[in-house]
Amino acid sequence: MSINLFDLTGKTALITGSSRGLGLAIAEGMAAAGASVVLNGMNGERLEASASKLRDEGFDVNVAAFDVTDEAAVCQALERMDHEGIEIDILVNNAGIQFRKPMLELETNDWQRVIDTNLTSAFIVSREVAKRMVKKGAGKIVNIGSLTSDLARATVAPYTVAKGGIKMLTKSMAAEWGQYGIQANAIGPGYMLTDMNEALTSNPEFDGWVKGRTPAGRWGRPDELAGTAIYLSSAASDYVNGHIVYVDGGMISVL
Ligand code: GCO
C-alpha cells in the first residue's frame, strides 16, 4: 500500500494575504496537493481575479476578504466560514507589508502599522482559528517568517522585529497548542521575486549583492516555497513543531 504523506486532499487551507505574491503561490501549491484553499486579502477585485485563476486550473477555491489587523473582521469572517461549513485545517499566516526607513527617521505610526500587520495579525487570526482546531484535536499552522527572523538588515527594523516575533510566536504556539494535536511551524523565505521586493530587484547594486550573498546565486521564485508549505501542512510533519525552515538558497547558512 503506497501512502502519500504529502497529500492535502480533504483539507481546507486559509492563507492570509494570498491575492498575490508568496501567499498566492503557496495557495496554488497547496491546491495542487489536493487542498481546498481560502484566499484572503483586502482588495476584493484582486482576490476574485486570483481565485478565478486558480479555479481555471481546476482547484477548489473560496475567498474571504477581511483585514487581518481588524479583530472584529477576523471573528466575523471565521463565523461566516463556520456557518458555511468551511472548517480550517491549515492556516498560513502570510499577510505582511514592508516599510523601509532608517529608525532615526521612522515615525511610530509606521512602526506600529508593520508590527500590527506582520505580527499581531498572526496572533489574532491564529488564536481564533486555533479555538476551532482545539475542538477537532488537529490543525496545522504555518507562519511566514523571513531571513530577518534571525538576521537584521539596516532600514527594515519594524519588519525585522515582526519577523523575529513570528519565529518566537511559532515556538509559543508549539509550546501551548502541541497538546491539542496542532503543529505550528514557520517558513523563512530568502530574497524572493515579489512585488514587495521590486525596489530591490530593480536596484543593480542590491540585485548583485543578493546574487553574490546567496549560494544559489539567484533570487528565489514564490513557487519555490510551495513544497515546504505542503510539507509543514501535511501528515509528513505530524511530529515537527516549533521550527522555522529556511527556503533561501542557502543565504542564512553562510557568511
Ligand atoms: C528587504 C526585503 C527582505 C525580504 C525577505 C528576506 O527589504 O530586506 O524586503 O525583508 O523580503 O524578508 O527574507
Side-chain angles (χ1 to χ4, degrees):
M1 177 191 76
S2 72
I3 54 166
N4 180 351
L5 290 173
F6 299 87
D7 186 2
L8 300 183
T9 303
K11 303 294 184 185
T12 298
L14 168 63
I15 304 97
T16 65
S18 50
S19 60
R20 60 180 172 171
L22 300 186
L24 181 57
I26 288 170
E28 189 168 14
M30 286 183 159
S36 297
V37 295
V38 181
L39 302 184
N40 159 260
M42 292 203 294
N43 181 317
E45 265 183 50
R46 188 188 290 146
L47 209 46
E48 281 300 340
S50 298
S52 298
K53 172 178 176 287
L54 297 192
R55 290 186 186 118
D56 289 349
E57 294 176 56
F59 300 139
D60 180 28
V61 187
N62 282 290
V63 299
F66 61 90
D67 176 354
V68 293
T69 67
D70 178 342
E71 190 158 350
V74 169
C75 292
Q76 283 161 12
L78 290 172
E79 282 157 19
R80 193 163 50 249
M81 283 184 244
D82 292 343
H83 294 315
E84 292 168 1
I86 298 174
E87 278 190 24
I88 306 298
D89 302 294
I90 302 158
L91 170 63
V92 179
N93 288 302
N94 166 75
I97 57 175
Q98 180 56 284
F99 188 83
R100 302 180 181 99
K101 187 168 277 190
M103 280 192 278
L104 289 175
E105 302 160 28
L106 188 62
E107 302 289 337
T108 307
N109 67 320
D110 288 323
W111 163 278
Q112 195 60 54
R113 186 164 48 84
V114 175
I115 298 291
D116 288 348
T117 309
N118 293 19
L119 177 58
T120 307
S121 69
F123 162 67
I124 293 168
V125 178
S126 299
R127 181 191 63 201
E128 295 310 312
V129 170
K131 287 175 183 174
R132 291 157 170 86
M133 289 177 168
V134 165
K135 288 176 185 168
K136 292 196 303 173
K140 296 281 187 179
I141 298 175
V142 182
N143 297 316
I144 303 303
S146 159
L147 288 166
T148 59
S149 292
D150 273 304
L151 299 175
R153 176 174 97 77
T155 74
V156 290
Y159 184 97
T160 300
V161 167
K163 292 301 188 180
I166 282 289
K167 182 177 82 167
M168 296 316 294
L169 176 61
T170 302
K171 294 177 187 290
S172 298
M173 289 175 179
E176 292 194 18
W177 296 344
Q179 62 186 307
Y180 304 120
I182 297 169
Q183 291 84 50
N185 292 285
I187 297 175
Y191 277 91
M192 312 300 281
L193 295 167
T194 58
D195 293 347
M196 187 178 80
N197 284 338
E198 203 280 326
L200 306 178
T201 53
S202 59
N203 176 322
E205 188 184 341
F206 199 97
D207 175 58
W209 174 77
V210 167
K211 288 172 179 170
R213 180 72 178 70
T214 307
R218 64 176 175 85
W219 293 72
R221 298 187 317 272
D223 64 277
E224 292 185 289
L225 296 181
T228 303
I230 292 164
Y231 163 57
L232 294 176
S233 300
S234 68
S237 62
D238 280 354
Y239 200 53
V240 179
N241 217 348
H243 288 287
I244 181 165
V245 180
Y246 282 97
V247 183
D248 65 350
M251 183 185 267
I252 203 158
S253 300
V254 300
L255 284 173

